[in-house]
């Protein structure tokens, strides 16, 4: 009885209409929320969530007030599949509809997979520069870099999500544990005692002469947070000292332990790629005699030691380079036109929207033909 | 590891909830884990906030530093100190009766909180009340750090701990994503006395940027494109452009890749105009097309070839026959009223374009200097 009622709810067309209406409202309010929250936070709170929470300012409690993107999308998906089962089944004359719905299901699932599995990062190259990594625009990591030999470093990269105050990170690759005494999501550093700033608390490296203040997290699109952390290195229960690491401190700080040197640096999170990209030249073409941009392009060289590949490719607006499971888009450039910024997208499910659209197209075609052909036959025989 | 894509395609209709859960679990993997890997040292040396220009394998060492290096003219009586961890440069000044002042140059990534927050921070250091953004604008004195304009703040008060009369002179230059703090702090009278020297010091600062990376000398031209003189490298390079005398008050600015040169001219109340110089092969599209292009920049409609010819003023100049136009409209990009004086000079199989555009008053004041500039160019 209960199961029947549940089935009725999930197969209901009303649920489809309600979900689509909620989705429209979600997009509307999610877009407005970007003004206050910024793009990234609004996306997380409205679209990458099951429920949207609200609480009065200053209060430490929140209540769910609206379904989030995952809940609406998930319900739509269940509704689509359930309705399909109960209404159409696998009848031959509904074959086209089955394929069409399969396409829609693939589209929804593909978007979920994209949302969860894809990463976006930036690759900034100056003319002539070669790199084999891209960097996150927003996420950071604490890198502890040990020298293996004169040519090779071993990197232990601790993501910022693990740098909460009080946490201790131990890995077999490091002879000491990293204890996070304080993590500042956004911070400002000064080099002298200043009202409103506290002493960093560091005892080693650049930190002892630095004063720090926690800043509110930025919601502006053209700014990013500059996190800092006070970390203590502990070996065999003994403290080696505390270091202040910050994305505002450009140079790594060196720690020597048991005769081996390690560099500590808080930096933008890196994504290494198994090949090198060299920027041969960035070109910012404009219409002759004007300042009006005509085209932006990066002539890059792909050097892959694994395959022995060494070739040149031109990456232009709307003509990305797809290589090694990654897509490199022309995203931005340096003010002096001598450097290029490529957006690097790793999306294992990039093909699903294409496949989904193909399935929907084929399905609609089959369904149309399945009616047209008998109709024409009837016309010819009568 | 299971390939989520293929699993979904194989059995999407059977266990959708499980599929969603599987994708969620897979997504959770790896993003928050500590990663350990080995890399070649060369590719891991660049600090994140100030990108180091790494050279291609085999590229000659051009000695490019990891971060911009400064040079300056040391004022008399200043003593250079070891810079320290955060400072790019450090100086001390000794006055009478043991009075001292300290000068620091500190680069910080990002905007470092902006002028408003920092000025109030400095005021706090000399026991002064914070000011409003409106008051801030009144306090700012225009100075130059090298050739870049900047605001200087002069704050005096008392050292909160010692009670000594203290003065701070400070300016923040925002350059290539870095906020450069130039600050003199110390005894009130000594800092006041050193203020002209500090302003001169700021003017003398030169940045030797880390962006000296260029194409390797052996690199072939790309796409076989013929670059006009001056376009191949640093467009502001004086060795590449024709001989000209830059009128007084014109400040050379970084030119875009396809501009031969760019100058900025300032007027009253921050009003500005820009002079762009570019050239093009052949007739560059012809007089009418280019004048209409300029008209478009001022939000003006197109004119026929005949009307353009009638509106342009021909002038014989030593370099050839120039056509001058004078247009008034609204800058299509800013919506503000603007005036444009342009000159088109065919010369030696190329056409040269000179454009003075900006605030109408500045353009009016600079028109004769601009005309003279165009007339005296030696090709």
């Amino acid at each position: 009885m209960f199961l029947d009622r549940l089935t009725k709810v999930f197969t209901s067309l009303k649920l489809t209409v309600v979900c689509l209406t909620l989705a429209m409202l979600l997009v509307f309010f999610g877009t407005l929320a970007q003004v206050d929250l910024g793009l990234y936070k609004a996306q997380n709170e409205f679209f990458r969530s099951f429920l949207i929470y609200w609480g009065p300012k200053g209060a430490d409690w929140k209540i769910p007030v609206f379904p989030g993107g995952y809940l609406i999308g998930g319900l739509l998906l269940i509704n689509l599949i359930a309705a399909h089962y109960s209404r159409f089944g696998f009848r031959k004359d509904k074959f086209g509809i089955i394929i069409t719905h399969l396409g829609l299901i693939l589209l929804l699932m593909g978007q979920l997979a994209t949302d969860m599995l894809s990463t976006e990062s930036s690759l900034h190259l100056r003319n002539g520069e070669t790199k084999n990594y891209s960097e996150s625009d927003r996420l950071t990591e604490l890198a502890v870099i040990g020298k293996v030999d004169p040519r090779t470093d071993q990197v232990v990269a601790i993501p910022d999500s693990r740098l909460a105050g009080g946490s201790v990170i131990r890995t077999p690759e490091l002879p000491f544990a990293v204890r996070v005494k304080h993590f500042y999501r956004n911070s400002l550093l000064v080099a002298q005692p200043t009202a409103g700033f506290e002493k960093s608390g560091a005892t080693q490296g650049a930190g002892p002469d630095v004063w720090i203040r926690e800043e509110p997290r930025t919601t502006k699109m053209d700014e990013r947070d500059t996190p800092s952390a006070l970390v203590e290195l502990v070996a065999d229960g003994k403290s080696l000292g505390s270091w202040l690491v910050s994305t505002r401190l450009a140079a790594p700080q060196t720690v020597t332990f048991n005769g081996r040197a390690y560099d500590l640096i808080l930096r933008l999170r890196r994504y290494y790629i198994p090949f090198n990209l060299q920027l041969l030249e960035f070109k910012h073409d404009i219409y002759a005699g004007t300042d009006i941009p005509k085209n932006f392009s990066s002539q890059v060289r792909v050097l892959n030691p694994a395959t022995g590949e060494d070739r040149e490719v031109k990456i232009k607006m709307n003509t990305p380079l797809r290589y090694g499971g990654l897509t490199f888009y022309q995203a931005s450039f340096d003010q002096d036109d001598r450097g290029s910024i490529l957006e690097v997208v790793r999306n294992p499910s990039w093909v699903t929207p294409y496949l989904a659209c193909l399935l929907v197209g084929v399905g609609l075609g089959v369904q149309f033909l399945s009616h047209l052909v008998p109709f024409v036959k009837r016309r010819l025989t009568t | 590891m299971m390939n989520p894509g293929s699993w979904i395609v194989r059995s999407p209709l059977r266990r959708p909830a499980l599929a969603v859960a599987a994708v969620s679990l897979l997504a959770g993997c790896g993003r928050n884990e500590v990663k350990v890997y080995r890399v070649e040292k060369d590719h891991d040396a660049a600090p994140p906030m100030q990108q180091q220009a790494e050279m291609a394998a085999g590229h000659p060492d051009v000695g490019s530093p990891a971060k911009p290096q400064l040079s300056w003219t040391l004022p008399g009586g200043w003593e250079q100190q070891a810079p320290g961890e955060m400072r790019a440069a450090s100086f001390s000044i000794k006055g009478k009766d043991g009075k001292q002042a300290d000068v620091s140059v500190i680069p910080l990534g990002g905007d470092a909180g902006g002028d408003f927050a920092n000025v109030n921070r400095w005021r706090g250091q000399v026991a002064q009340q914070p000011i409003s953004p409106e008051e801030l604008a009144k306090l700012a004195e225009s100075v130059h750090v090298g050739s870049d304009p900047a605001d200087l703040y002069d704050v005096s008060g008392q050292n909160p701990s010692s009670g000594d009369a203290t003065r701070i002179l400070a300016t923040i230059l925002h350059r290539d994503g870095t906020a450069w703090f130039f600050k003199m702090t110390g005894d009130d009278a000594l800092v006041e006395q050193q203020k002209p020297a500090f302003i001169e010091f700021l003017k003398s600062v030169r940045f030797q940027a880390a962006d000296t990376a260029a194409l390797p000398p052996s690199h072939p031209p790309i796409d076989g494109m013929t670059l006009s003189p001056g376009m191949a490298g640093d467009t502001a390079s004086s060795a590449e452009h024709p001989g000209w005398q830059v009128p007084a008050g014109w400040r050379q600015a970084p030119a875009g890749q396809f501009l031969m040169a760019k100058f900025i001219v300032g007027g009253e109340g921050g009003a500005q105009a820009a002079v762009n110089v570019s050239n093009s092969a052949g007739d560059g599209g012809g007089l009418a097309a280019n004048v209409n292009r300029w008209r478009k920049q001022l939000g003006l409609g197109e004119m026929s070839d005949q009307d353009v010819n009638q509106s342009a003023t021909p002038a014989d100049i030593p370099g050839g026959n120039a056509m001058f136009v004078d247009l008034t409209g609204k800058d299509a990009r800013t919506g503000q009223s603007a005036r444009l004086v342009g000159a088109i000079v065919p010369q030696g199989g190329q056409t040269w374009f000179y454009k003075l555009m900006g605030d109408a008053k500045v353009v009016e004041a600079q028109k004769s200097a601009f005309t003279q500039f165009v007339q005296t160019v030696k090709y």
Side-chain angles (χ1 to χ4, degrees):
Chain A
M1 192 67 182
F2 172 73
L3 206 64
D4 285 347
R5 279 172 65 184
L6 198 69
T7 312
K8 206 173 172 187
V9 169
F10 279 120
T11 55
S12 152
L13 188 64
K14 282 178 191 163
L15 181 65
T16 318
V17 175
V18 168
C19 282
L20 288 176
T21 310
L22 289 174
M24 280 197 291
L25 289 171
L26 182 74
V27 170
F28 179 73
F29 288 113
T31 309
L32 288 186
Q34 286 176 29
V35 177
D36 293 326
L37 302 177
L39 176 67
Y40 179 73
K41 210 172 169 203
Q43 276 184 339
N44 272 352
E45 291 193 5
F46 280 76
F47 306 113
R48 291 179 181 144
S49 63
F50 285 95
L51 290 166
I52 298 164
Y53 292 86
W54 174 88
K57 268 189 180 171
D60 55 358
W61 55 268
K62 282 187 173 182
I63 49 166
V65 288
F66 204 79
Y70 286 166
L71 186 58
I72 296 174
L75 278 177
L76 261 179
L77 190 65
I78 294 168
N79 178 235
L80 185 63
I81 296 167
H84 199 278
Y85 259 133
S86 67
R87 280 164 216 259
F88 303 116
F90 285 103
R91 280 156 47 196
K92 196 182 164 190
D93 61 332
K94 300 290 183 192
F95 187 61
I97 289 181
I98 292 171
I99 297 177
T100 306
H101 282 190
L102 196 62
L104 289 174
I105 290 164
L106 186 62
L107 192 67
L108 281 168
M109 300 285 271
Q111 285 312 295
L112 184 65
T114 298
D115 192 45
M116 301 229 163
L117 299 172
S118 67
T119 54
E120 287 179 19
S121 52
S122 296
L123 175 54
H124 179 205
L125 290 166
R126 302 283 300 168
N127 279 346
E129 191 179 10
T130 306
K131 267 189 193 167
N132 64 343
Y133 63 84
S134 57
E135 290 171 311
S136 170
D137 294 323
R138 190 180 43 75
L139 301 171
T140 54
E141 65 186 11
L142 172 64
V144 186
I145 305 162
K147 290 151 185 63
V148 176
D149 60 51
R151 293 286 304 155
T152 317
D153 284 339
Q154 176 178 270
V155 181
V156 175
I158 304 162
D160 51 8
S161 53
R162 297 282 301 272
L163 293 177
S167 62
V168 180
I169 297 112
R170 288 188 180 85
T171 72
E173 292 78 12
L174 291 178
F176 43 73
V178 179
R179 191 165 80 84
V180 183
K181 292 171 98 171
H182 197 108
F183 184 62
Y184 305 83
R185 292 255 160 227
N186 192 14
S187 59
L188 198 56
L189 308 183
V190 291
Q192 55 205 317
T194 302
F197 286 70
E198 57 183 7
K199 208 155 192 306
S200 73
T203 59
Q204 303 283 336
D209 297 327
V210 175
W211 280 255
I212 188 165
R213 185 175 74 191
E214 185 137 31
E215 293 284 293
R217 299 193 69 180
T218 183
T219 54
K220 292 180 187 167
M221 283 300 291
D222 55 350
E223 287 179 8
R224 66 173 165 231
D225 291 336
T226 47
S228 300
L230 181 66
V231 295
E232 183 181 26
L233 304 185
V234 182
D236 303 325
K238 284 183 191 165
S239 172
L240 306 178
S242 296
W243 280 259
L244 177 74
V245 288
S246 172
T247 54
R248 289 188 182 274
L249 296 172
Q253 300 170 64
T254 305
V255 183
T256 307
F257 182 70
N258 283 348
R260 207 174 150 197
Y262 297 86
D263 279 345
L264 280 181
I265 185 165
L266 189 67
R267 64 187 187 188
L268 292 174
R269 197 177 290 183
R270 288 189 181 182
Y271 303 95
Y272 278 86
I273 50 179
F275 51 90
N276 290 308
L277 270 194
Q278 182 187 21
L279 177 65
L280 297 175
E281 191 193 29
F282 170 72
K283 282 214 285 192
H284 173 184
D285 301 339
I286 51 174
Y287 289 98
T290 76
D291 297 334
I292 302 167
K294 187 177 174 187
N295 190 30
F296 306 102
S297 63
S298 298
Q299 186 79 11
V300 297
R301 186 173 162 203
V302 181
L303 294 139
N304 191 338
T307 60
E309 223 170 326
D310 181 355
R311 64 185 171 99
E312 287 187 20
V313 186
K314 183 175 257 186
I315 298 172
K316 291 192 290 187
M317 304 285 286
N318 304 323
T319 313
L321 162 68
R322 293 186 194 277
Y323 187 79
L326 301 167
T327 312
F328 298 83
Y329 296 92
Q330 181 66 58
S332 186
F333 55 95
D334 288 348
Q335 292 278 323
D336 64 358
D337 284 348
R338 288 167 149 204
S340 179
I341 298 169
L342 304 174
E343 190 184 8
V344 186
V345 178
R346 181 191 296 277
N347 181 8
S349 56
W350 70 274
V351 80
T352 52
Y354 298 98
L355 201 60
C357 289
L358 190 73
L359 281 175
V360 170
V362 169
L364 289 174
V366 167
Q367 195 61 30
F368 175 65
L369 288 174
S370 70
H371 286 279
L372 182 68
V373 172
F375 174 74
V376 172
K377 272 186 185 167
R378 270 204 307 278
R379 284 276 300 230
L380 289 174
T381 51
T382 52
Chain B
M1 187 179 277
M2 183 193 289
N3 180 336
S6 63
W7 194 88
I8 292 165
V9 173
R10 274 208 307 276
S11 58
L13 299 174
R14 290 178 193 277
R15 296 187 182 108
L18 200 58
V20 173
V23 171
S24 310
L25 282 173
L26 283 168
C29 294
R31 290 204 175 180
N32 295 314
E33 285 171 7
V34 175
K35 286 183 190 160
V36 180
Y37 49 81
R38 290 188 172 196
V39 289
E40 273 185 50
K41 199 178 289 292
D42 286 351
H43 296 304
D44 206 62
M49 298 304 287
Q50 291 161 329
Q51 299 287 348
Q52 183 170 12
E54 293 172 16
M55 293 296 135
H59 190 275
D61 181 15
V62 295
S64 84
K67 57 183 181 182
Q69 300 290 302
L70 290 183
S71 63
W72 57 81
T73 308
L74 191 68
W78 288 29
E79 198 174 308
Q80 192 166 345
Q81 304 289 317
E85 287 275 7
M86 288 191 75
R87 295 185 176 198
S90 189
F91 310 91
S92 71
I93 306 161
K94 290 189 173 66
K96 288 175 189 169
D97 306 326
K99 304 285 186 195
Q100 285 197 340
D102 169 74
V103 179
S104 63
V105 181
I106 299 174
L108 289 175
D111 77 341
D115 285 15
F116 179 61
N118 279 295
V119 169
N120 277 329
R121 182 167 62 78
W122 295 326
R123 292 182 67 82
Q125 290 171 9
V126 290
Q128 294 287 332
Q129 292 298 313
I131 52 167
S132 66
E134 293 74 32
E135 289 170 303
L136 177 78
K138 288 178 200 159
L139 286 180
E141 298 173 38
S142 292
V143 290
H144 280 86
V145 179
S147 57
D148 298 316
D151 290 329
L152 177 74
Y153 299 96
D154 187 342
V155 188
S156 62
Q158 285 183 336
N159 183 318
S161 52
S162 67
D164 293 342
T166 305
R167 183 179 287 262
I168 294 173
L169 291 176
T171 187
I172 308 172
L173 175 70
H174 298 279
R175 192 174 191 277
D176 298 337
T178 300
W180 288 84
F181 287 75
F182 296 83
K183 185 179 173 198
M184 177 186 281
T185 178
D187 174 69
D188 188 355
L190 179 60
V191 172
E192 191 172 15
Q193 180 219 328
Q194 288 290 328
K195 189 172 176 180
F198 184 65
I199 293 171
E200 279 307 306
F201 164 74
L202 293 177
K203 250 190 235 174
S204 75
V205 168
R206 295 287 177 269
F207 292 88
Q208 290 145 15
D211 57 8
T212 46
L215 280 180
S218 59
H219 195 276
I222 293 167
D223 279 357
M225 182 177 153
T226 311
L227 297 177
S228 304
M231 290 182 177
D234 182 358
T235 51
S237 160
S238 60
E240 301 283 3
H241 63 64
W244 60 45
Q245 283 204 319
V246 180
W250 288 21
R251 184 167 56 81
Q252 187 145 15
Q257 194 173 7
F258 289 87
L259 280 185
M260 174 67 68
K262 188 179 182 83
F263 304 94
I264 303 290
V265 202
E268 284 177 11
Q272 278 195 338
V275 178
N276 286 0
V277 184
S278 62
N279 68 351
S280 184
D283 68 355
L287 177 70
N290 282 292
V291 171
N292 278 324
R293 177 169 58 74
W294 284 340
R295 291 182 63 83
K296 201 174 166 188
Q297 290 171 16
L298 288 173
L300 304 171
E302 278 202 12
M303 283 169 64
S304 67
D305 291 11
Q306 196 183 352
D307 289 345
V308 169
N309 280 325
Q310 282 176 357
S311 70
T313 313
D316 281 336
I317 61 172
N321 297 314
M323 293 296 265
F324 280 85
V325 289
D326 192 338
L327 309 167
T328 303
K330 281 189 173 178
D331 189 325
R333 284 184 293 192
T334 62
Q336 292 181 337
S337 61
R339 185 171 166 192
L340 184 156
V341 178
I344 299 176
V345 185
Q347 171 67 34
Q350 292 186 328
T351 303
W352 292 76
F353 299 90
Y354 300 86
K355 183 179 85 173
L356 166 67
M357 180 174 158
D359 179 81
K361 281 183 185 164
V362 181
V363 172
E364 175 61 31
Q366 293 293 329
K367 188 177 176 181
S368 61
F370 173 77
T371 310
Q372 197 178 359
F373 173 72
V374 174
Q375 288 175 336
T376 55
V377 173
K378 292 186 176 65
Y379 298 95

